[in-house]
């Protein structure tokens, strides 16, 4: 129940609940990956069960697909949808221009493809995810397994000329083995501390042979919904230049919270 949730989980929940209101009957919806996105999927599942809402969801990972099916959401592929009305996802960091770092959950490639194949992207996050400049959270870069050490060396060489504070790179691990993405790739985490020019860095990284995609989402996010532990929600629209604040009610629901 919500009374048992930590303040951070309450913040994620109210952000997800508010963002779920952007979804309408008949839409094709990109469903993000991660702890905050999981709250969204649960909120949307409740709308399906309790309100009879019908829409089709395109998950950005196998675990999101499993959760969506579990709560009653119709799941289709991006190829079947072709184009999406909206994608709602979390973020590891966002700045004042709504540039993002994503990929902490390892799904950055599918997340970026789905987000850019949408009319609009909405990010849901707790207030701690907002930063003055990106980079405190390690930047994920997805690389193919073949020659990943060469790709790592080229990335480290490229970082020398970039406006960043740190240049350490590490291979993401899953226990004693390299982490493997849904596409069968590895992830290098770049510990940069601060990224002075995210746009330039994103372009440079994607020129490195072996790099599939990086976790910098530049000019992709349209709105961010920020949740707070006391139930307050702030919605910023980068295109309209508006900021709206409201308070969401906590709703006790055995279905929604049963696995939390």
């Amino acid at each position: 129940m919500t009374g048992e949730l930590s303040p951070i989980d309450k913040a994620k929940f109210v952000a997800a609940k508010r963002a779920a209101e952007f979804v309408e009957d008949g839409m094709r919806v990109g469903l993000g990956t991660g702890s905050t996105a999981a709250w969204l999927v649960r909120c949307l599942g409740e709308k399906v069960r309790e309100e009879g809402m019908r829409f089709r969801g395109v998950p950005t990972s196998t675990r999101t697909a499993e959760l969506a099916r579990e709560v009653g959401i119709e799941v289709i592929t991006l190829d079947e949808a072709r184009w999406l009305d909206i994608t709602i996802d979390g973020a590891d960091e966002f700045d004042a221009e709504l540039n993002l770092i994503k990929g902490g959950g390892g799904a950055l490639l599918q997340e970026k493809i789905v987000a850019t194949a949408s009319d609009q992207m909405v990010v849901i996050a707790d207030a701690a995810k907002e930063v003055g400049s990106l980079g405190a959270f390690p930047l994920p870069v997805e690389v193919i397994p073949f020659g990943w050490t060469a790709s790592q060396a080229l990335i480290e060489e490229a970082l020398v000329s970039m406006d960043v504070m740190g240049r350490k790179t590490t291979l993401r691990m899953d226990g004693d083995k390299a982490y493997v993405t849904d596409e069968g790739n590895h992830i290098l985490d770049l510990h940069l501390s601060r990224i002075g020019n995210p746009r330039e860095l994103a372009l440079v990284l994607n020129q490195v042979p072996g790099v599939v995609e990086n976790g910098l989402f530049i000019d992709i996010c349209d709105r961010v919904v920020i949740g707070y532990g006391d139930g307050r929600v702030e919605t910023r629209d980068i295109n309209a230049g508006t900021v709206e604040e409201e308070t969401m009610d906590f709703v006790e629901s055995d279905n929604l919270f049963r696995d939390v």
Side-chain angles (χ1 to χ4, degrees), residues 182-197:
D182 281 353
E183 290 74 34
N185 298 317
H186 296 328
I187 288 182
L188 295 173
D189 287 311
L190 279 53
H191 304 267
L192 308 177
S193 298
R194 182 190 62 80
I195 301 172
N197 191 332

Side-chain angles (χ1 to χ4, degrees), residues 32-39 61 63-64 89 105 111:
T33 295
S35 59
T36 311
W39 282 113
S61 67
R63 58 187 180 276
T64 295
D89 202 350
E111 288 173 338

Side-chain angles (χ1 to χ4, degrees), residues 79-101:
D79 291 329
E80 291 171 324
R82 302 187 66 180
W83 195 260
L84 304 176
D85 298 289
I86 188 172
T87 288
I88 306 177
D89 202 350
D92 298 305
E93 286 185 346
F94 68 91
D95 65 15
E97 297 178 352
L98 303 194
N99 294 318
L100 321 169
I101 284 183

Side-chain angles (χ1 to χ4, degrees), residues 154 201-211:
L154 289 169
L201 179 59
L203 292 172
V204 168
L205 287 173
N206 280 6
Q207 295 302 310
V208 174
V211 169

Side-chain angles (χ1 to χ4, degrees), residues 185-260:
N185 298 317
H186 296 328
I187 288 182
L188 295 173
D189 287 311
L190 279 53
H191 304 267
L192 308 177
S193 298
R194 182 190 62 80
I195 301 172
N197 191 332
R199 189 184 308 277
E200 179 185 32
L201 179 59
L203 292 172
V204 168
L205 287 173
N206 280 6
Q207 295 302 310
V208 174
V211 169
V212 181
E213 190 52 84
N214 69 83
L216 285 167
F217 284 50
I218 310 298
D219 298 333
I220 295 176
C221 177
D222 298 289
R223 283 186 282 194
V224 61
V225 181
I226 307 167
Y228 296 84
D230 59 2
R232 290 180 297 121
V233 175
E234 179 181 317
T235 303
R236 301 180 194 171
D237 188 318
I238 193 71
N239 300 312
T242 58
V243 178
E244 299 178 357
E245 296 184 2
E246 57 193 299
T247 300
M248 305 295 294
D249 293 328
F250 291 125
V251 178
E252 300 290 352
S253 169
D254 288 337
N255 288 332
L256 187 60
F257 297 99
R258 67 186 185 277
D259 294 325
V260 174

